[in-house]
Amino acid sequence: MRITTFAFYQMELKEKQRRILNVAVELFKEKGYMGSSVRDLATKLNIKAASLYAHIRSKEEILEWICFGIAQEFFDELQEVKNTNIPPKEKLNLFLDKHLSVVLENRDVTHIYSNEWRHLEERLPEFVELRRSYQQEVEELISEIYQAENWELKSPSFTTRFILHTLNNSYFWFKRNSDSTNAIIDEIREKILFGLLGNQKQ
């Protein structure tokens, strides 16, 4: 599977690094980050393991590309939502749509991002802070929306974690080739909105 909307295609990765990234995503999804070796990656690329180090610093660098790249895409979409001048309820809808779109268009990348980030070493503190910052910004957005609509929000932090966990793991629930991304987004959005707003949704 080729990554089409992944943020790193807007970054300055060289052509061979992009190829390495694509194959590494397949490998990490199949065997897990810890279960994958540089030799495994080289075998899939049909090159010698030593040759990989002409293009990457380490296996961990590839995990950094994945985690920080998809995180930046989430931030970019969130910023677009925050800058949009639309009614609060529509803004909540838009946030759900945009975050879900990133997840579903990059399913394998999101899987690695969600499950393997703890294996970052050198940049782990930086990434933990990045995740915390994103959750905080989403929490602020949701709190602003609830306040604008005079809805009761008992636990902004729990609500935010619930939303992000649901969105980030949505790729588990649908077959890759049989379900329309738009249909999936509509269904998940409806269920999340009903759970959050109940009778206030109408």
Side-chain angles (χ1 to χ4, degrees), residues 172-190:
F172 272 127
W173 308 335
F174 300 91
K175 293 180 181 179
R176 187 183 306 272
N177 298 320
S178 62
D179 296 286
S180 161
T181 296
N182 289 337
I184 294 172
I185 290 174
D186 289 343
E187 185 170 348
I188 294 177
R189 182 185 60 223
E190 286 298 308

Side-chain angles (χ1 to χ4, degrees), residues 26-42:
E26 296 173 1
L27 180 64
F28 295 169
K29 177 63 165 54
E30 175 188 345
K31 301 182 68 172
Y33 175 77
M34 295 301 290
S36 304
S37 67
V38 171
R39 185 177 298 276
D40 293 331
L41 181 56

Side-chain angles (χ1 to χ4, degrees), residues 60 117-129:
E60 185 184 355
W117 64 269
R118 292 174 181 83
H119 298 303
L120 290 167
E121 296 179 8
E122 182 180 342
R123 299 185 67 186
L124 180 59
E126 180 184 352
F127 186 73
V128 169
E129 177 60 24

Side-chain angles (χ1 to χ4, degrees), residues 57-199:
R57 185 180 70 250
S58 63
K59 184 179 74 167
E60 185 184 355
E61 183 177 29
I62 302 173
L63 185 60
E64 291 172 3
W65 292 348
I66 293 169
C67 291
F68 284 91
I70 200 71
Q72 185 59 54
E73 192 150 338
F74 285 134
F75 268 105
D76 290 345
E77 297 293 350
L78 176 60
Q79 196 59 50
E80 186 173 331
V81 172
K82 294 173 75 172
N83 291 339
T84 303
N85 185 23
I86 56 177
K89 193 182 297 187
E90 292 182 25
K91 186 169 284 192
L92 179 57
N93 257 306
L94 183 62
F95 165 71
L96 296 176
D97 286 355
K98 284 187 171 293
H99 191 102
L100 261 177
S101 293
V102 174
V103 170
L104 295 177
E105 290 170 8
N106 302 279
R107 299 185 190 204
D108 290 348
V109 172
T110 304
H111 173 84
I112 296 165
Y113 163 86
S114 298
N115 294 282
E116 305 288 6
W117 64 269
R118 292 174 181 83
H119 298 303
L120 290 167
E121 296 179 8
E122 182 180 342
R123 299 185 67 186
L124 180 59
E126 180 184 352
F127 186 73
V128 169
E129 177 60 24
L130 194 66
R131 285 173 62 93
R132 187 203 64 78
S133 177
Y134 183 76
Q135 181 174 318
Q136 183 176 335
E137 287 198 33
V138 173
E139 183 176 324
E140 290 172 358
L141 175 67
I142 292 170
S143 296
E144 290 171 5
I145 291 169
Y146 268 70
Q147 185 176 4
E149 291 288 337
N150 292 316
W151 296 329
E152 182 181 6
L153 182 59
K154 294 181 179 179
S155 176
S157 179
F158 173 81
T159 300
T160 301
R161 291 198 302 271
F162 165 76
I163 291 172
L164 292 178
H165 179 79
T166 302
L167 297 178
N168 288 342
N169 289 280
S170 58
Y171 62 87
F172 272 127
W173 308 335
F174 300 91
K175 293 180 181 179
R176 187 183 306 272
N177 298 320
S178 62
D179 296 286
S180 161
T181 296
N182 289 337
I184 294 172
I185 290 174
D186 289 343
E187 185 170 348
I188 294 177
R189 182 185 60 223
E190 286 298 308
K191 285 178 170 54
I192 288 179
L193 288 174
F194 183 82
L196 292 176
L197 307 181
N199 292 333

Side-chain angles (χ1 to χ4, degrees), residues 35-51:
S36 304
S37 67
V38 171
R39 185 177 298 276
D40 293 331
L41 181 56
T43 298
K44 276 187 170 289
L45 289 162
N46 197 30
I47 61 175
K48 294 181 179 180
S51 301

Side-chain angles (χ1 to χ4, degrees), residues 15-25 41 45 47 51-52 55-56 62 65:
E15 183 177 352
K16 287 186 178 179
Q17 290 175 317
R18 293 176 182 177
R19 169 66 178 155
I20 291 169
L21 175 61
N22 279 326
V23 173
V25 166
L41 181 56
L45 289 162
I47 61 175
S51 301
L52 271 174
H55 309 289
I56 62 170
I62 302 173
W65 292 348

